[in-house]
């Protein structure tokens, strides 16, 4: 079992409803709980991406991360956006990137499809996290990198972070995964070198480079 939470349910219809308010809710999460991990991962991705990199943003949500990369000079033609929620993808209409509706547990791509795969704040929404990890690893090319950031089981003394964690669990919009379990599942796939990005708060950020 990879999480401590209420029984998990399919989040797609929930995120369809949340789409208009998602950016506001997510900014609150970053402010009180996940901001340090987000900044660390964004810096790592910016260091990895090149003008030739083919990048998948898996579980792209409203496209905030892709927009930041594109503002930094990444061509939209290099970027593929995937999300199971059509309402979320509709919020990405201004981006000229390729858009695909699909679930992390059954990614609609061939093996070794991308040099860089990012999955930010989406793994914890999958119904089967272990299958999602296997799928994310499958589409990373040899020499490529999987960049993960997710809500994680971690103690926090900040009341704001604790309240946000409880609201996520009660709303059913995600779980809090064990970082060690996620690492074990990547290692179970084989062929990846994993580096954790230090941060505080109930979040974890990992880079997994394929041999």
């Amino acid at each position: 079992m990879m999480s401590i939470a209420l029984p998990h349910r399919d989040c797609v219809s929930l995120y369809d409803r949340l789409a208009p308010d998602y950016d506001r809710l997510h900014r609150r999460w970053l402010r009180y709980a996940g901001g340090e991990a987000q900044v660390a991962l964004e810096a790592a991705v910016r260091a990895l991406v090149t003008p030739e990199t083919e990048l998948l943003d898996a579980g792209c949500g409203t496209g905030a991360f892709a927009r930041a990369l594109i503002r930094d000079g990444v061509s939209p033609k290099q970027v593929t956006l995937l999300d199971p929620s059509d309402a979320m993808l509709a919020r990405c209409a201004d981006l000229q990137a390729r858009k695909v509706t699909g679930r992390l547990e059954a990614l609609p791509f061939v093996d070794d499809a991308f040099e860089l795969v990012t999955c930010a704040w989406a793994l914890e929404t999958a119904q089967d996290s272990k299958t999602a990890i296997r799928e994310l690893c499958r589409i990373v090319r040899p020499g490529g990198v999987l960049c993960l950031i997710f809500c994680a089981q971690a103690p926090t003394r900040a009341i704001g972070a604790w309240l946000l964690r409880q609201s996520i669990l009660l709303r059913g919009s995600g779980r809090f995964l064990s970082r060690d379990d996620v690492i074990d599942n990547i290692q179970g796939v084989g062929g990846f070198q994993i580096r954790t990005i230090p941060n505080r708060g109930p979040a974890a950020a990992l880079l997994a480079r394929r041999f």
Side-chain angles (χ1 to χ4, degrees):
M1 190 74 177
M2 289 184 60
S3 65
I4 51 169
L6 301 175
H8 195 52
R9 66 173 187 265
D10 192 330
C11 290
V12 178
S13 60
L14 174 61
Y15 276 97
D16 281 340
R17 295 194 301 272
L18 285 176
D21 299 313
Y22 178 80
D23 287 335
R24 175 179 57 81
L25 295 170
H26 191 57
R27 282 193 296 270
R28 187 183 302 166
W29 165 256
L30 294 181
R31 178 180 179 184
Y32 290 106
E36 185 175 332
Q38 177 83 20
V39 169
L41 189 76
E42 287 180 359
V45 171
R46 287 184 174 96
L48 289 167
V49 72
T50 73
E52 290 77 37
T53 300
E54 293 183 56
L55 182 150
L56 170 68
D57 187 2
C60 65
T62 60
F65 188 36
R67 279 190 192 84
L69 292 176
I70 291 168
R71 283 196 300 268
D72 285 349
V74 174
S75 170
K77 295 180 180 180
Q78 297 175 240
V79 179
T80 298
L81 303 174
L82 175 134
D83 203 273
S85 166
D86 287 326
M88 285 290 197
L89 284 175
R91 312 294 290 189
C92 304
D94 60 305
L95 298 172
Q96 298 303 307
R98 177 189 179 197
K99 303 173 187 71
V100 179
T101 302
R103 293 176 178 267
L104 297 182
E105 300 97 325
L107 293 171
F109 307 111
V110 299
D111 295 353
D112 311 336
F114 298 95
E115 294 168 273
L116 189 59
V117 176
T118 65
C119 183
W121 313 114
L123 183 62
E124 60 269 53
T125 70
Q127 287 188 286
D128 184 342
S129 300
K130 186 174 182 178
T131 297
I133 290 168
R134 187 165 60 245
E135 279 288 279
L136 289 165
C137 291
R138 177 182 65 80
I139 63 171
V140 178
R141 291 176 187 167
V145 181
L146 169 62
C147 305
L148 288 175
I149 185 170
F150 52 91
C151 298
Q153 299 171 9
T156 179
R157 296 181 180 179
I159 187 65
W162 184 86
L163 289 171
L164 282 172
R165 179 164 57 187
Q166 297 307 112
S167 70
I168 288 170
L169 295 177
L170 291 171
R171 189 188 302 128
S173 56
R175 295 177 286 176
F176 286 77
L177 306 177
S178 161
R179 185 183 67 176
D180 290 342
D181 283 351
V182 171
I183 290 172
D184 286 347
N185 282 311
I186 297 172
Q187 291 175 333
V189 173
F192 282 85
Q193 181 181 28
I194 303 167
R195 179 166 68 90
T196 61
I197 302 177
N199 66 273
R200 294 168 293 181
L206 308 173
L207 301 179
R209 182 179 293 276
R210 187 174 176 189
F211 299 154

